[in-house]
Amino acid sequence: MNPFAKTAAGLFVVIAPQKSKPLEAERICSALIRKLSEDPNRNLDARTWQNAVQMIPNLVETASTSRKLNATIADTDLPHALASICANAVGDRQGSGLAKPISSYLRKYGEPIAFNCLILDQSDPAEIHLFLTCLAVVEGGRPDSRAITATLLSASLNLSDEQTQSAIVQIFGRFGPPSDSQCYLRVLP
């Protein structure tokens, strides 16, 4: 990695069927993009992303884990390795089809040293599953070695609960889909 070419990237992914009206996942995603864009100096800081996600009301089953992954990979494989980690966070839900579009997005950044990826899965209209992956890449012991640290956060929103639905509409109802954002990707289930 070139120490003078350090880049960080962030991506928001919504997994949902095509609908004519904006989905709750799209509205939440749009609000988070706007919130994180308010402070350009911190908008790619992993802690800022984690705090923003944890501010969504009525999240259930929140679990945060941190683990260090060491991998020996060629520079050209770095975007694919980062994309695979993000897709694997989703697990069996929709992860198998996510690595390729995330990897394509990351290839624009060459060798990112940091990557945050928030995936909102609303394949089921009654719930949203959120998966936040914050990755940091550092030099390994050899030129082709990279150490990747991953922090994972997952949560769910039960949209069939009236209190949750009301809170989501009240807070995020004025936001539309973030289709004009470069850091947004929509994937069909």
Side-chain angles (χ1 to χ4, degrees):
M1 274 172 36
N2 181 346
F4 301 106
K6 298 181 184 289
T7 60
L11 179 63
F12 296 85
V13 179
V14 169
I15 302 169
Q18 205 67 336
K19 299 267 182 167
S20 59
K21 65 178 187 169
L23 297 168
E24 290 84 352
E26 292 174 312
R27 293 177 187 277
I28 292 170
C29 190
S30 184
L32 291 175
I33 290 171
R34 186 170 301 164
K35 179 69 177 166
L36 291 169
S37 298
E38 288 176 355
D39 185 358
N41 295 324
R42 298 190 48 179
N43 68 351
L44 290 173
D45 181 350
R47 289 171 300 203
T48 305
W49 282 56
Q50 292 165 21
N51 290 339
V53 168
Q54 291 173 341
M55 298 289 286
I56 298 171
N58 301 345
L59 288 177
V60 294
E61 300 173 22
T62 303
S64 180
T65 60
S66 181
R67 59 187 161 133
K68 187 164 182 131
L69 307 171
N70 291 309
T72 302
I73 52 176
D75 288 342
T76 57
D77 290 340
L78 185 59
H80 179 71
L82 297 178
S84 293
I85 293 168
C86 295
N88 288 338
V90 178
D92 293 338
R93 301 191 58 74
Q94 304 290 340
S96 60
L98 286 177
K100 187 175 181 179
I102 294 172
S103 180
S104 295
Y105 173 81
L106 275 172
R107 291 200 191 285
K108 295 187 284 189
Y109 296 97
E111 299 176 353
I113 60 160
F115 179 54
N116 300 327
C117 183
L118 177 62
I119 299 170
L120 296 96
D121 181 358
Q122 194 176 352
S123 301
D124 179 348
E127 58 189 0
I128 300 173
H129 298 281
L130 296 92
F131 304 93
L132 175 62
T133 306
C134 299
L135 303 169
V137 181
V138 294
E139 289 283 342
R142 297 179 311 222
D144 64 346
S145 174
R146 303 289 178 261
I148 302 170
T149 302
T151 302
L152 309 168
L153 178 85
S154 62
S156 297
L157 280 166
N158 180 358
L159 299 177
S160 58
D161 178 57
E162 288 183 25
Q163 183 180 358
T164 301
Q165 183 67 31
S166 175
I168 297 301
V169 169
Q170 184 178 12
I171 295 168
F172 301 107
R174 70 182 187 278
F175 292 94
S179 55
D180 60 341
S181 176
Q182 293 179 333
C183 60
Y184 173 71
L185 179 64
R186 173 78 185 262
V187 179
L188 297 173

